[in-house]
Every structure is written in structure tokens, then in C-alpha cells.
Amino acid sequence: MAENTDTAKLTLKGKTYDLPVHSPTGGPDVIDIRKLYGQADVFTYDPGFTSTAACDSTITFIDGDAGVLLHRGYPIDQLASKSHYLEVCYLLLYGELPSAEKLEKFESLVTNHTMIHEQMHNFFRGFRRDAHPMATMVGVVGAMSAFYHDSTDINDPHQREVATIRLIAKMPTVAAMAYKYSIGQPFVYPRNDLDYAANFLHMCFAVPAEEYHVNPILSRAMDRIFTLHADHEQNASTSTVRLASSSGANPFACIAAGIACLWGPAHGGANQACLEMLKEIGTPDRIPEFIARAKDKDDPFRLMGFGHRVYKNFDPRATVMKQSADEVLDLLGVENNPILQVAKELEKQALADPYFAEKKLFPNVDFYSGIILEAMGFPTSMFTPIFALARTVGWISQWKEQLDDPQLKIGRPRQLYLGEMERDYVDIEKR
């Protein structure tokens, strides 16, 4: 808990209450209202919890006004350009960048746990072929608790560590199998000679009939997508994982809950919504029409993939993602893909338009990640599963931190009740 450096005074019905004020290492001060209900018999009201700190954390810090995203104090653009996903995983989980020896051991541990229990293949075959891959992932990840009994005791530090490695290692396999199942192709087993991102691409795009070579530019772009989505502070899905965890649920159930929350179009589905918008635009010559609609305050149309709820000036992840998008498009080209042609021209016209500059409607990470995944050949239905794969380490880091918090309590939000008060039951014949 941050140091109590000041006191806020609340006057209510003639009485004054002293509320401790905690100063964080970054961000606004926090008024501690934990004893307010007991002392004053009042709740606070904050729909969406947008002004409420539900926990203290040392993992990720965001300053949306300044366009800052730090993992354990390290800027995201440095991590994305100089590091790689598994090193960032280590940083999020353990608080410091690893030595070469520790990183090698961690990578080996993850690499050697990528296979899933063979009987779990039957779970995939229980779904319809046209099931959304996120539906499949929610079911399969939740079912992992039925197969890995030796890593479900949250009170055992060793079992928590085993569950951590298993989830990070197996999530690419689960996501790739969900994809393969949806397109009617055989599952491809993981390969220990490939790195994390290359292995995922291999499991998604290799087929038994011929050899598949992972292009290093595509592998690097995929690794950056993973890195840039690894954690994002106390967002909806992370809060869902923490809330599920507060009840003592096993780690696989908690992560399945996070996947379910991420599925929503207002959260993890943003890059899918962006690609669907590009398909709606259709051809570059229609872009001025849609830009005009975006400027019209009476038109409900919005440019998806532009601006961000948290970042008010620019998305620090977008700069690195744009670099990857340019590299991938240079490699694969856009000539035969009308969606990518629209994306490149829309980016150009929007960045040159004073209206978007004034409103700070910049292309965000979802815009560029959607372009990259489309260029690689992923259907839009796989965008959110890939996001879930990448975010798993953030969820687990937050889960582990919460379990070590001596202030941990089961989550129990209050409400502003506006319904009927007590009334007597009326027999049906008298209604």
C-alpha cells in the first residue's frame, strides 16, 4: 500500500470524516474510502469503476494524457523494439529483466510445455466447425483444470508457478488448434526448435502435405503483436480475472473468464471491428465519403481503429506497430488485397486531415495489428483469440500479484438501488 501522505475531509449531514490519501509512484493520489461505509453508512457511486482504484499494483502504469505505457518501469516502445515477447513475459511475472541464463531457462521451460493433453483434442471436436474460435478457447481453457490437477491449488506457490508456465506455453497451441478446427484442417503439433511466435505461425499455417517455413519478418511482427498486447493495467478483462480470482477460483477458470470478457467488441474485438469497417468502405475512392461521415456529429458512424479511450494524444504502442505493418506490407504487398489498399489510403488521408489532428484521432494499435493479421492471412475471427493469447501473461501476472496481496478480499461491488421496497405478494387471481 502506498504511503498515507495526507487526509481528505468529507462533510456529510453535519459530520466530518477524515479519509486517508495515498500517493502512488505515478498517477493521481487515491482517497481511501474503505472505512467510509462503516463510519458514515454511505456508499460511493462510480459506474464502470472509472474513478476507482480496486487494487494497488507494481506491474503496469499508464498515463493516457502523456501517451505513456510502462511495464515494471520500462517504456513499451523500448520493449517492443529491443526485447521480445518471452523476455517481456519474464519481466511482467518476476519484476525485473532476466539475465541471459535466466532467460534461457525460462524460454526452455515454456518451450517444453507447449503440447496439450492428447485427450483434449476431443473438446475441439465437440464444437461445430463454424463456432467462433473465442467460444472454443473459453471452453478449452476452462477445461484445462480437469486435466492439470497438480496446478490448481492456489495456496501452493509451486502449483501457481506450474500453472503460470502451462498457460503461457499452451495458449498458442490452443489458439492455433481453434483456428485449424474452424477451417477443417488437421491440428499441427508444436515444434521445440522454433521460437514462441514462429511456433504459433507454424501451428496455424503448416499442413502435413508440404513443408512450411516461417518468414522471420512475419515472425517478428507476430512477436511484436504479442508484446504490445501483453498487459494494459486494470482493464475490463484484467479486472474480470482479478474478480474471479478473489473468490479462490483455480487459475484456468480465471483465465477463461478473462477470455470471455475480452471477447466483447468494446474490448478485444476492436481490431476485428476495424477490419470490418475497412470491408464496409470497400475501395479507396469511397474513403472521402466515410471521412465526411466520421466528421458529421449527427452520423453514428465512427472510424474504428482511430483514437483511444485511454490515450489522449497518441498510443505509444502504435508507432512500433506501424513499423511492423510497413515491413509486412512491403513483404507481402497490397496490390491484390483491396482491404489493405483501403487501410493504407485511409491512414494517409486521416493523418493529413486537420480535423483528425485536432481531435487527436490517431491510428491506434488495433488499426495496425488488424492490418498485419489480415496481411498474414488470418480471418477476422482469429484476431481476438490472438489478443487473448498475448494478454494471458498479463492476466497471470495480475493474478499472481493479487494472491500475494495481504489485503485480498472477495470482490463485492455495491449498488445504488432504485427498485421497489418491500411489498406483499398478490395471489394470481387478484392481479
Side-chain angles (χ1 to χ4, degrees), residues 86-298:
L86 284 185
E87 185 175 46
V88 172
C89 287
Y90 188 101
L91 173 67
L92 290 171
L93 290 168
Y94 306 116
E96 298 292 342
L97 289 171
S99 65
E101 181 181 356
K102 288 181 178 179
L103 180 59
E104 183 180 359
K105 182 179 179 181
F106 179 72
E107 290 177 332
S108 176
L109 201 58
V110 170
T111 299
N112 287 301
H113 284 82
T114 50
M115 290 179 62
I116 65 171
H117 195 290
E118 192 72 9
Q119 195 175 341
M120 292 187 72
H121 290 208
N122 297 328
F123 275 88
F124 291 89
R125 297 187 174 97
F127 289 93
R128 285 172 49 128
R129 288 282 179 182
D130 60 356
H132 196 289
M134 283 294 276
T136 306
M137 288 186 70
V138 169
V140 173
V141 173
M144 289 173 72
S145 60
F147 288 84
Y148 302 109
H149 302 291
D150 59 341
S151 54
T152 56
D153 183 356
I154 64 171
N155 298 309
D156 183 341
H158 174 70
Q159 291 200 28
R160 292 206 299 261
E161 193 64 24
V162 172
T164 294
I165 298 301
R166 279 177 171 160
L167 279 162
I168 294 171
K170 298 180 191 304
M171 199 62 75
T173 309
V174 171
M177 291 176 71
Y179 172 58
K180 284 295 196 183
Y181 184 76
S182 71
I183 60 175
Q185 290 187 2
F187 298 141
V188 175
Y189 286 88
R191 276 177 42 181
N192 290 357
D193 61 321
L194 297 175
D195 64 42
Y196 195 85
N199 185 44
F200 175 66
L201 290 173
H202 182 268
M203 288 189 290
C204 286
F205 296 120
V207 292
E210 58 186 45
E211 195 169 356
Y212 175 79
H213 297 283
V214 181
N215 187 292
I217 292 177
L218 301 185
S219 176
R220 177 60 175 155
M222 181 57 69
D223 189 88
R224 279 180 171 168
I225 287 177
F226 292 162
T227 299
L228 293 169
H229 289 88
D231 192 53
H232 210 236
E233 210 212 69
Q234 307 306 319
N235 52 77
S237 59
T238 298
S239 299
T240 299
V241 170
R242 279 183 173 265
L243 189 60
S245 171
S246 74
S247 73
N250 71 73
F252 305 106
C254 293
I255 301 306
I259 295 171
C261 181
L262 188 74
W263 194 353
H267 190 7
N271 53 7
Q272 179 173 340
C274 175
L275 259 291
E276 289 169 351
M277 175 199 71
L278 295 175
K279 291 177 182 177
E280 181 185 358
I281 295 173
T283 55
D285 60 284
R286 297 188 66 201
I287 289 174
E289 168 194 342
F290 283 85
I291 285 183
R293 290 182 60 191
K295 294 178 181 181
D296 184 353
K297 63 181 180 181
D298 296 323

Side-chain angles (χ1 to χ4, degrees), residues 380-420:
T380 53
S381 62
M382 273 300 293
F383 289 7
T384 316
I386 290 170
F387 192 164
L389 185 175
R391 183 56 56 85
T392 295
V393 67
W395 292 332
I396 296 171
S397 300
Q398 301 274 349
W399 169 76
K400 290 180 68 178
E401 181 181 67
Q402 182 184 39
L403 291 178
D404 287 332
D405 187 350
Q407 303 176 100
L408 172 61
K409 292 183 178 180
I410 185 171
R412 181 50 171 96
R414 300 295 188 167
Q415 65 177 7
L416 172 63
Y417 179 70
L418 298 174
E420 298 285 350

Side-chain angles (χ1 to χ4, degrees), residues 359-374:
K359 299 288 186 181
K360 297 183 172 66
L361 294 176
F362 45 83
N364 61 31
V365 69
D366 298 311
F367 181 80
Y368 292 119
S369 64
I371 291 174
I372 292 171
L373 295 174
E374 167 72 19

